[in-house]
């Protein structure tokens, strides 16, 4: 009996090994015949193991002190900046070529179109902005741009953000010790909940924030739908969030006499969007509008904590602004525009944090790049973080150095630095995000000094975050 089991194990192991070799060979040698019988070769690469592909190597590298190892190994192995892999549940072409990535973004709707993995689409819904194309994308993008236009930033948001940050910091001061990452998530979700759904900070917004933790974690998690998995929890959170928004829509329709000055009212007034579109659109804006900016806030404070020279320069800049206002604490647009060093800190935080690590685009036709062809229907992962952390483009790329933005104007070109994407999908929230960060840094730095309570590390998966949530102890500045 024992012999039979051993024999079975040997046969099974040999079969798996053989399958793997065949799979590898097929990955490395396949070509596609075009209609004129010319054989075209996709980029070099490997889809790794059946089903899981190269997911584990990618995760291992992106959670380590050497996040670019996954990319660097493949660049060396294939002698190419564009290679095939199997990540996020499917085969794709990974591009770390900044010129090609820029052209992918600029050619949205022509040669490429946004195509996020099925698992992400199931979370953001059929009408989350990154799922829609053509006229509907332009229409919804336009609504988002209008919501976040300069005139609104200069007046409404300027006022609203400062009120919110001051009241939140009053609460933090009472708590003395806080987990900054969670607190920033909650603060910015409160801002978006007010703008989109007219919700003031309450038990309900705290519940929404808790659901968003599961929802966001699932966006870049391994998409396994078994009960208790990160992905399954995210899908459940989506269902509950959509139910909440639907109930608000019903409530508004039942009580039209109650006046609201939020985005939801405007969308209902316009009357041409279905409830399904409105729910997915609002859910997407809630997500996009709080998650990345709140991560950026936490990272900025963490980077400054580890770089006392930059923190001192920030203190000087912000103390001078306050002094110039003769004790009047509320900032105006010109004060914001005068924060020169702060802008360098924000750029450096966006580069080193790379909060939106890459974008997904499907080739709408066979597309020649260098000496290979990306066949129609294949998805390209334009991996921005690999440009942002590349030593060839940014000297000592893993070091926080805000002064690089003062000295070397070249690094601010949008081929090498594109934290907000580009083309027709350029992030409509980029100016709001910069305003939020600047005002937050001003108020935080002028009110508090702080000490870190744990030795936190950066992980770039599922999305960039600090592994311990950056716990800090706060003290009022003398
Ligand atoms: C640090 C903060 C932020 C970063 C790094 C960021 C990054 C990005 C990137 C890279 C894209 C392009 C995705 C693609 O092309 O596939 C994008 C799209 C988008 N972002 Fe942001 N974003 C930030 C903040 C915000 C905020 C505050 C809002 C809204 C309040 C927002 C709303 C959106 C929307 C609606 C889109 C989709 C645009 C479209 O597909 O038409 N983002 N963002």
């Amino acid at each position: 009996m024992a012999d039979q089991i051993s024999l079975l194990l040997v046969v099974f192991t040999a079969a798996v090994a053989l399958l793997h070799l065949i799979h590898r060979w097929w990955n490395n040698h396949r070509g596609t015949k075009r209609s004129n019988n010319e054989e075209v070769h996709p980029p070099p690469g490997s889809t790794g193991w059946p089903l899981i592909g190269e997911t584990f190597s990618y995760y291992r590298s992106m959670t380590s002190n050497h996040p670019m190892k996954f990319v660097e190994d493949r660049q060396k192995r294939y002698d190419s900046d564009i290679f095939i892999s199997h990540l996020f549940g499917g085969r794709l072409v990974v591009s770390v070529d900044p010129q090609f990535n820029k052209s992918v973004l600029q050619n949205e709707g022509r040669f490429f179109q946004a195509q996020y993995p099925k698992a992400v689409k199931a979370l953001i819904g059929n009408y989350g902005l990154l799922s829609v194309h053509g006229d509907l994308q332009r229409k919804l993008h336009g609504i988002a741009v209008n919501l976040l236009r300069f005139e609104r930033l200069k007046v409404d948001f300027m006022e609203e953000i400062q009120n919110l940050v001051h009241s939140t910091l009053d609460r933090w001061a009472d708590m003395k010790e806080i987990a900054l990452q969670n607190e920033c998530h909650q603060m910015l979700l409160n801002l978006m909940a007010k703008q989109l759904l007219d919700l003031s900070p309450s038990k309900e917004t705290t519940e929404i924030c808790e659901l968003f933790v599961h929802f966001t974690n699932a966006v870049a998690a391994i998409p396994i739908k078994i009960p208790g998995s990160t992905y399954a929890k995210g899908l459940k959170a989506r269902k509950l969030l959509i139910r909440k928004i639907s109930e608000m829509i019903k409530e508004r329709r039942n009580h039209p006499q109650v006046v609201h000055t939020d985005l939801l009212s405007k969308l209902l007034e316009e009357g041409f969007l279905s409830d399904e579109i409105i729910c997915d659109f609002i859910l997407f804006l809630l997500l996009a509008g709080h998650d990345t900016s709140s991560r950026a806030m936490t990272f900025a404070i963490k980077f400054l904590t580890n770089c006392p020279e930059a923190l001192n320069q920030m203190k000087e800049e912000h103390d001078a602004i306050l002094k110039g206002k003769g004790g009047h604490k509320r900032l105006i647009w010109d004060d914001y525009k005068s924060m020169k060093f702060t802008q360098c800190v924000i750029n450096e935080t966006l580069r080193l944090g790379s909060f939106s690590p890459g974008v997904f685009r499907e080739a709408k036709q066979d597309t020649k790049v260098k000496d290979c062809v990306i066949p129609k229907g294949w998805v390209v992962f334009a991996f921005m973080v690999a440009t942002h952390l590349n030593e060839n483009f940014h000297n000592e790329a893993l070091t926080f150095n805000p002064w690089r933005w003062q000295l070397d104007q070249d690094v601010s070109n949008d081929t090498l630095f594109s934290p907000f994407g580009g083309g027709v999908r350029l992030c409509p929230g980029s100016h709001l995000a910069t305003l939020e960060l600047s005002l937050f840094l001003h108020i935080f730095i002028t009110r508090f000094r702080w000490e870190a309570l744990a030795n936190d590390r950066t992980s770039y998966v599922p999305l960039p975050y600090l592994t311990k949530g950056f716990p800090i102890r706060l003290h009022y500045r003398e």
Side-chain angles (χ1 to χ4, degrees):
M1 183 66 178
D3 283 355
Q4 279 169 330
I5 291 175
S6 308
L7 185 66
L8 266 174
L9 272 175
V10 170
V11 172
F12 179 74
T13 313
V16 170
L18 188 65
L19 265 176
H20 182 59
L21 284 176
I22 294 171
H23 186 71
R24 267 205 133 135
W25 181 88
W26 186 78
N27 278 325
N28 292 336
H29 292 84
R30 83 200 124 163
T32 316
K33 287 252 189 237
R34 278 175 157 181
S35 47
N36 62 3
N37 254 357
E38 180 197 350
E39 183 143 334
V40 292
H41 285 279
S46 160
T47 50
W49 290 92
L51 295 177
I52 54 165
E54 300 194 300
T55 305
F56 287 124
S57 322
Y58 174 79
Y59 269 53
R60 211 177 314 120
S61 157
M62 297 298 280
T63 49
S64 75
N65 291 334
H66 187 177
M68 286 304 100
K69 184 170 174 9
F70 176 84
V71 165
E72 285 165 8
D73 285 353
R74 280 150 190 81
Q75 280 174 305
K76 259 187 232 140
R77 192 179 308 154
Y78 307 125
D79 192 21
S80 173
D81 291 340
I82 300 175
F83 53 85
I84 290 172
S85 185
H86 181 300
L87 302 168
F88 317 109
R91 176 198 62 194
L92 36 74
V93 174
V94 178
S95 164
V96 299
D97 177 328
Q99 293 292 349
F100 180 59
N101 287 351
K102 184 172 177 178
S103 129
V104 166
L105 287 172
Q106 298 296 340
N107 282 297
E108 167 76 12
R110 283 196 291 167
F111 306 130
F112 293 95
Q113 83 176 12
Q115 187 62 268
Y116 277 73
K118 269 193 199 137
V120 174
K121 284 211 295 200
L123 284 162
I124 62 174
N126 292 332
Y127 299 104
L129 241 172
L130 292 175
S131 303
V132 297
H133 305 108
D135 285 347
L136 187 58
Q137 184 269 339
R138 278 190 286 279
K139 181 87 208 159
L140 295 177
H141 188 99
I143 294 174
V145 168
N146 193 39
L147 172 79
L148 306 167
R149 65 186 183 277
F150 270 118
E151 301 85 78
R152 293 211 64 226
L153 294 185
K154 280 183 180 175
V155 184
D156 304 344
F157 278 99
M158 192 82 200
E159 168 95 15
E160 183 106 12
I161 295 168
Q162 292 186 74
N163 289 344
L164 179 73
V165 174
H166 273 295
S167 63
T168 308
L169 265 58
D170 288 344
R171 196 169 54 78
W172 292 358
D174 291 341
M175 290 160 71
K176 292 195 175 59
E177 287 180 13
I178 58 165
L180 189 64
Q181 197 157 253
N182 285 348
E183 291 294 333
C184 287
H185 275 310
Q186 178 74 65
M187 181 169 66
L188 287 190
L189 192 73
N190 284 341
L191 180 77
M192 291 320 290
K194 180 78 190 149
Q195 289 293 323
L196 303 176
L197 299 167
D198 200 13
L199 289 176
S200 297
S202 60
K203 201 166 152 252
E204 183 162 24
T205 53
T206 310
E207 269 169 33
I208 294 180
C209 192
E210 279 159 15
L211 289 173
F212 261 108
V213 172
H214 295 302
F215 184 67
T216 329
N217 283 345
V219 172
I222 299 174
I224 304 172
K225 234 193 296 178
I226 47 171
S229 69
T230 307
Y231 186 65
K233 283 187 197 158
L235 285 175
K236 195 169 160 203
R238 169 189 157 80
K239 224 169 150 183
L240 294 172
L241 287 163
I242 290 287
R243 190 185 298 159
K244 274 184 189 290
I245 303 171
S246 303
E247 281 164 6
M248 283 180 218
I249 295 179
K250 251 189 233 142
E251 179 77 15
R252 302 273 174 111
R253 292 218 167 95
N254 290 341
H255 303 297
Q257 73 285 3
V258 182
V259 180
H260 295 277
T261 52
D262 56 2
L263 185 74
L264 179 57
S265 301
K266 289 200 189 91
L267 296 177
L268 292 174
E269 267 161 39
E270 292 205 25
F272 65 92
L273 296 172
S274 69
D275 286 7
E276 192 186 354
I277 297 182
I278 294 179
C279 284
D280 277 356
F281 181 49
I282 296 258
L283 182 68
F284 185 81
L285 279 178
L286 276 171
L287 171 70
H290 90 282
D291 188 66
T292 30
S293 315
S294 58
R295 289 171 199 274
M297 275 179 183
T298 318
F299 273 61
I301 296 294
K302 150 96 170 137
F303 291 148
L304 289 170
T305 311
N306 294 348
C307 183
E309 211 185 331
L311 180 56
N312 282 338
Q313 199 165 329
M314 284 292 276
K315 280 184 189 158
E316 277 166 26
E317 179 161 290
H318 290 284
D319 289 352
I321 292 175
L322 259 197
K323 205 168 160 209
K325 297 184 70 65
H328 183 64
K329 285 202 171 141
R330 288 294 190 264
L331 300 183
I332 57 170
W333 190 255
D334 287 347
D335 297 323
Y336 160 59
K337 283 288 160 195
S338 72
M339 300 174 182
K340 299 290 178 232
F341 185 63
T342 306
Q343 188 55 54
C344 297
V345 167
I346 291 176
N347 282 352
E348 185 64 350
T349 303
L350 292 172
R351 181 192 70 78
L352 199 48
S354 284
F355 303 100
S356 185
V359 303
F360 295 82
R361 297 292 188 265
E362 183 183 274
K364 289 179 82 179
Q365 57 188 60
D366 285 0
T367 306
K368 191 156 182 355
V369 43
K370 298 193 171 157
D371 51 359
C372 54
V373 169
I374 297 173
K376 180 180 171 185
W378 285 40
V379 170
V380 175
F381 179 47
F383 197 26
M384 313 303 190
V385 68
T387 306
H388 293 164
L389 302 188
N390 189 323
E391 292 285 338
N392 297 325
F393 306 137
H394 308 281
N395 194 20
E396 295 191 18
L398 292 181
T399 305
F400 177 74
N401 173 8
W403 298 277
R404 74 174 82 231
W405 297 93
Q406 289 176 325
L407 298 175
D408 185 357
Q409 289 309 311
D410 212 29
V411 287
S412 55
N413 93 45
D414 69 347
T415 308
L416 299 181
F417 180 62
S418 46
F420 296 108
V424 295
R425 288 188 186 266
L426 177 71
C427 173
S430 62
H431 297 293
L432 172 63
T434 313
L435 179 67
E436 288 167 342
L437 273 157
S438 307
L439 296 179
F440 169 73
L441 288 171
H442 171 81
I443 301 171
F444 192 80
I445 286 172
T446 50
R447 284 186 67 173
F448 293 130
R449 55 190 179 80
W450 64 93
E451 69 216 68
L453 298 176
N455 198 3
D456 232 321
R457 257 186 345 99
T458 301
S459 166
Y460 287 90
V461 285
L463 287 169
Y465 77 109
L466 297 174
T467 49
K468 294 184 180 155
F470 205 49
I472 51 173
R473 183 174 299 126
L474 295 167
H475 311 269
Y476 276 124
R477 275 181 67 190
E478 301 78 37

